[in-house]
Amino acid sequence: VYTDPPGNLDINQGAPPDFTVTDLNDYLNEKERITASIPLSKGCAWGKCTFCSSYASQYSQLHKEKALEHLLTIHGQTGISNFMFSDEASPLEVLDHIAAGLISRNISISWIFHTRLTSRLSRERCSLYRQAGCRQICVGVESTSDRILKKMQKGISFKQIDEFFNYPDRGISIIAY
Protein backbone atom coordinates (compact mmCIF):
# COMPACT_ATOMS: atom_id res chain seq x y z
CA VAL A 1 0.00 0.00 0.00
CA TYR A 2 1.40 3.36 -1.00
CA THR A 3 0.20 6.56 0.59
CA ASP A 4 0.80 9.82 -1.22
CA PRO A 5 2.68 12.44 0.76
CA PRO A 6 0.47 15.05 2.37
CA GLY A 7 -0.13 18.28 0.50
CA ASN A 8 1.55 21.47 1.56
CA LEU A 9 -0.54 22.98 4.34
CA ASP A 10 -0.34 26.73 4.92
CA ILE A 11 1.03 27.26 8.43
CA ASN A 12 -1.16 30.37 8.73
CA GLN A 13 -4.34 28.28 8.42
CA GLY A 14 -3.68 26.51 11.73
CA ALA A 15 -4.75 27.38 15.23
CA PRO A 16 -2.33 27.97 18.08
CA PRO A 17 -1.21 24.83 19.91
CA ASP A 18 -3.86 23.97 22.51
CA PHE A 19 -2.41 23.48 25.98
CA THR A 20 -5.84 23.49 27.64
CA VAL A 21 -6.87 19.94 26.67
CA THR A 22 -5.14 18.49 29.73
CA ASP A 23 -4.75 19.79 33.25
CA LEU A 24 -1.28 21.33 33.43
CA ASN A 25 -1.18 20.49 37.14
CA ASP A 26 -1.04 16.79 36.18
CA TYR A 27 2.40 17.15 34.57
CA LEU A 28 5.55 16.10 36.41
CA ASN A 29 6.92 19.63 36.17
CA GLU A 30 5.14 22.36 38.06
CA LYS A 31 3.06 24.56 35.80
CA GLU A 32 5.54 27.41 36.32
CA ARG A 33 8.33 25.29 34.81
CA ILE A 34 6.48 24.01 31.73
CA THR A 35 7.86 25.28 28.43
CA ALA A 36 5.38 25.62 25.57
CA SER A 37 6.78 25.06 22.12
CA ILE A 38 5.46 27.27 19.33
CA PRO A 39 6.51 26.82 15.70
CA LEU A 40 6.93 30.07 13.77
CA SER A 41 7.72 28.37 10.48
CA LYS A 42 8.11 25.02 8.83
CA GLY A 43 11.04 24.02 6.73
CA CYS A 44 14.08 26.26 6.46
CA ALA A 45 14.29 29.59 4.66
CA TRP A 46 18.02 29.07 4.00
CA GLY A 47 17.61 25.53 2.70
CA LYS A 48 21.17 25.18 1.39
CA CYS A 49 23.08 23.24 4.05
CA THR A 50 24.31 20.07 2.38
CA PHE A 51 23.86 17.90 5.49
CA CYS A 52 20.24 18.84 6.22
CA SER A 53 17.03 17.43 4.78
CA SER A 54 15.02 20.59 5.50
CA TYR A 55 16.20 22.02 2.20
CA ALA A 56 13.71 19.76 0.46
CA SER A 57 10.71 21.03 2.41
CA GLN A 58 8.65 23.93 1.24
CA TYR A 59 9.33 26.84 3.57
CA SER A 60 6.34 28.52 5.14
CA GLN A 61 6.38 31.25 7.78
CA LEU A 62 3.71 32.26 10.27
CA HIS A 63 2.57 35.86 9.84
CA LYS A 64 4.06 38.00 12.58
CA GLU A 65 0.66 39.12 13.90
CA LYS A 66 -0.55 35.51 14.07
CA ALA A 67 2.64 34.44 15.86
CA LEU A 68 2.16 37.06 18.56
CA GLU A 69 -1.53 36.12 18.81
CA HIS A 70 -0.62 32.43 19.33
CA LEU A 71 1.81 33.33 22.10
CA LEU A 72 -0.62 35.67 23.85
CA THR A 73 -3.45 33.12 23.55
CA ILE A 74 -1.43 30.33 25.14
CA HIS A 75 -0.10 32.62 27.87
CA GLY A 76 -3.56 34.03 28.58
CA GLN A 77 -5.36 30.66 28.63
CA THR A 78 -2.82 28.73 30.65
CA GLY A 79 -0.56 31.12 32.51
CA ILE A 80 2.45 29.40 30.92
CA SER A 81 5.28 31.89 30.89
CA ASN A 82 8.13 29.85 29.36
CA PHE A 83 8.22 29.46 25.59
CA MET A 84 10.45 27.97 22.94
CA PHE A 85 10.23 28.90 19.29
CA SER A 86 11.09 25.52 17.85
CA ASP A 87 12.04 26.19 14.26
CA GLU A 88 14.92 25.17 12.04
CA ALA A 89 15.66 28.89 11.91
CA SER A 90 13.19 31.17 13.67
CA PRO A 91 12.43 34.13 11.41
CA LEU A 92 13.99 37.23 12.97
CA GLU A 93 11.34 39.63 11.65
CA VAL A 94 8.67 37.59 13.43
CA LEU A 95 10.73 37.56 16.63
CA ASP A 96 11.14 41.36 16.33
CA HIS A 97 7.35 41.72 16.23
CA ILE A 98 6.84 39.35 19.15
CA ALA A 99 9.48 41.17 21.22
CA ALA A 100 7.97 44.59 20.47
CA GLY A 101 4.49 43.28 21.27
CA LEU A 102 5.57 41.83 24.62
CA ILE A 103 7.38 45.04 25.58
CA SER A 104 4.49 47.32 24.58
CA ARG A 105 2.03 45.17 26.55
CA ASN A 106 4.41 44.91 29.52
CA ILE A 107 4.11 41.09 29.48
CA SER A 108 6.83 39.26 31.36
CA ILE A 109 7.61 35.86 29.87
CA SER A 110 10.79 33.87 29.29
CA TRP A 111 11.63 32.51 25.86
CA ILE A 112 14.31 30.83 23.79
CA PHE A 113 14.66 30.28 20.07
CA HIS A 114 16.65 28.39 17.44
CA THR A 115 18.00 30.20 14.42
CA ARG A 116 20.76 30.45 11.86
CA LEU A 117 23.77 32.56 12.63
CA THR A 118 23.67 35.52 10.25
CA SER A 119 24.86 39.11 10.33
CA ARG A 120 21.18 40.04 10.78
CA LEU A 121 21.35 38.59 14.33
CA SER A 122 22.84 41.86 15.52
CA ARG A 123 23.63 43.28 18.95
CA GLU A 124 20.59 45.54 18.63
CA ARG A 125 18.33 42.58 17.96
CA CYS A 126 19.79 40.63 20.87
CA SER A 127 19.23 43.65 23.11
CA LEU A 128 15.59 43.91 21.99
CA TYR A 129 15.07 40.18 22.56
CA ARG A 130 16.69 40.31 26.01
CA GLN A 131 14.45 43.24 26.98
CA ALA A 132 11.43 41.17 25.86
CA GLY A 133 12.40 38.16 28.00
CA CYS A 134 14.63 36.09 25.71
CA ARG A 135 17.07 34.12 27.80
CA GLN A 136 18.71 31.81 25.27
CA ILE A 137 19.56 31.61 21.57
CA CYS A 138 20.44 28.29 19.97
CA VAL A 139 22.41 28.63 16.74
CA GLY A 140 23.49 26.00 14.27
CA VAL A 141 27.23 26.37 13.82
CA GLU A 142 28.23 22.77 12.96
CA SER A 143 31.90 23.69 12.41
CA THR A 144 34.46 26.44 13.02
CA SER A 145 36.50 25.51 9.95
CA ASP A 146 35.95 27.88 7.03
CA ARG A 147 36.75 25.03 4.63
CA ILE A 148 34.05 22.79 6.16
CA LEU A 149 31.55 25.64 6.48
CA LYS A 150 31.98 26.37 2.77
CA LYS A 151 31.57 22.68 1.83
CA MET A 152 28.41 22.55 3.98
CA GLN A 153 27.11 25.73 2.34
CA LYS A 154 26.33 27.21 5.77
CA GLY A 155 26.64 30.77 4.49
CA ILE A 156 28.75 31.82 7.50
CA SER A 157 32.45 32.11 8.30
CA PHE A 158 34.55 31.47 11.38
CA LYS A 159 34.99 35.24 11.73
CA GLN A 160 31.19 35.68 12.03
CA ILE A 161 31.00 32.87 14.59
CA ASP A 162 33.88 34.31 16.61
CA GLU A 163 32.43 37.84 16.58
CA PHE A 164 28.97 36.63 17.61
CA PHE A 165 30.19 34.51 20.49
CA ASN A 166 32.65 37.07 21.77
CA TYR A 167 30.86 40.39 21.82
CA PRO A 168 30.33 41.60 25.37
CA ASP A 169 27.16 42.43 27.30
CA ARG A 170 24.76 40.38 25.22
CA GLY A 171 22.91 39.22 28.35
CA ILE A 172 21.51 36.15 26.61
CA SER A 173 22.90 32.63 26.87
CA ILE A 174 24.11 31.23 23.55
CA ILE A 175 24.14 27.55 22.64
CA ALA A 176 25.87 26.29 19.52
CA TYR A 177 25.11 22.98 17.94
Side-chain angles (χ1 to χ4, degrees):
V1 174
Y2 176 79
T3 304
D4 289 328
N8 187 24
L9 301 174
D10 182 358
I11 193 170
N12 289 290
Q13 301 279 323
D18 187 358
F19 291 89
T20 64
V21 295
T22 60
D23 186 350
L24 296 179
N25 295 313
D26 289 342
Y27 283 81
L28 293 176
N29 271 342
E30 301 85 33
K31 186 171 151 181
E32 296 75 30
R33 295 182 55 196
I34 292 174
T35 298
S37 180
I38 301 176
L40 301 177
S41 64
K42 63 180 188 176
C44 180
W46 176 250
K48 297 178 185 176
C49 299
T50 57
F51 63 89
C52 182
S53 62
S54 289
Y55 70 87
S57 64
Q58 292 183 331
Y59 180 73
S60 180
Q61 178 179 305
L62 200 58
H63 294 302
K64 60 185 182 181
E65 295 84 9
K66 195 163 195 77
L68 179 59
E69 174 191 322
H70 284 195
L71 174 69
L72 296 175
T73 297
I74 295 166
H75 178 65
Q77 288 178 341
T78 65
I80 292 175
S81 60
N82 297 303
F83 292 88
M84 176 178 67
F85 300 113
S86 55
D87 303 84
E88 297 285 340
S90 295
L92 300 180
E93 294 78 15
V94 175
L95 293 174
D96 293 350
H97 185 75
I98 289 171
L102 292 170
I103 292 167
S104 70
R105 289 169 175 80
N106 199 27
I107 295 175
S108 179
I109 65 163
S110 179
W111 51 284
I112 67 174
F113 68 98
H114 295 248
T115 197
R116 290 190 70 250
L117 181 58
T118 71
S119 58
R120 295 175 48 241
L121 190 56
S122 64
R123 293 178 189 188
E124 294 77 23
R125 270 200 160 113
C126 288
S127 178
L128 171 68
Y129 299 163
R130 182 183 69 235
Q131 185 182 354
C134 180
R135 70 178 196 278
Q136 188 175 79
I137 301 171
C138 305
V139 292
V141 170
E142 278 72 47
S143 177
T144 55
S145 162
D146 282 329
R147 184 182 68 81
I148 299 296
L149 291 167
K150 186 174 182 176
K151 284 186 171 284
M152 295 168 88
Q153 298 181 27
K154 284 292 292 177
I156 58 174
S157 67
F158 173 74
K159 182 179 181 203
Q160 287 175 282
I161 295 167
D162 187 51
E163 287 174 358
F164 183 74
F165 280 86
N166 289 305
Y167 67 76
D169 300 326
R170 181 179 28 250
I172 298 175
S173 170
I174 304 295
I175 292 180
Y177 54 92

